[in-house]
Amino acid sequence: HSFPTRRSSDLLLVGLLAAAARDPDLASALSEQLHRHGAPTVAELLDRACKRQEIGPAIDAILIGELVLGALIMHVLVLGLPGDAAFIGRLIDDIVIPVLGAGERERG
């Protein structure tokens, strides 16, 4: 299996993540930016699912946002696939919400 050719933006992100692993200040700044720009979208999607009663209200949106971001990094950087809104929507709708909803049903 051959790996897809990496775009320069992918390589930049890989370098940034590697540098953040060694530099606590950079890691903190990167974390702040990722939470500021990534978590609200995931939180909004989870809030809508909660309003539709697909999941319960006691969901840690930050943790779920981190899981989604990890999957997005894997999808884009390792597999070389587009990390677009369609992928994130599928990830939330097909995996996150069903898993969270199943857990809520087991507790209820």
Side-chain angles (χ1 to χ4, degrees), residues 24-100:
D25 292 334
L26 178 58
S28 178
L30 183 59
S31 177
E32 180 182 324
Q33 288 299 312
L34 292 174
H35 282 111
R36 182 180 304 151
H37 297 291
T41 301
V42 172
E44 289 169 7
L45 293 171
L46 294 175
D47 185 53
R48 286 186 223 147
C50 184
K51 287 177 181 170
R52 292 188 305 263
Q53 298 182 337
E54 294 172 336
I55 62 174
I59 299 300
D60 184 343
I62 297 296
L63 178 61
I64 301 303
E66 291 171 357
L67 292 171
V68 169
L69 182 60
L72 181 61
I73 289 170
M74 174 71 176
H75 189 75
V76 172
L77 296 181
V78 176
L79 300 177
L81 300 170
D84 54 11
F87 170 73
I88 294 171
R90 284 194 330 272
L91 182 61
I92 296 291
D93 291 342
D94 297 347
I95 297 172
V96 173
I97 290 173
V99 167
L100 293 175

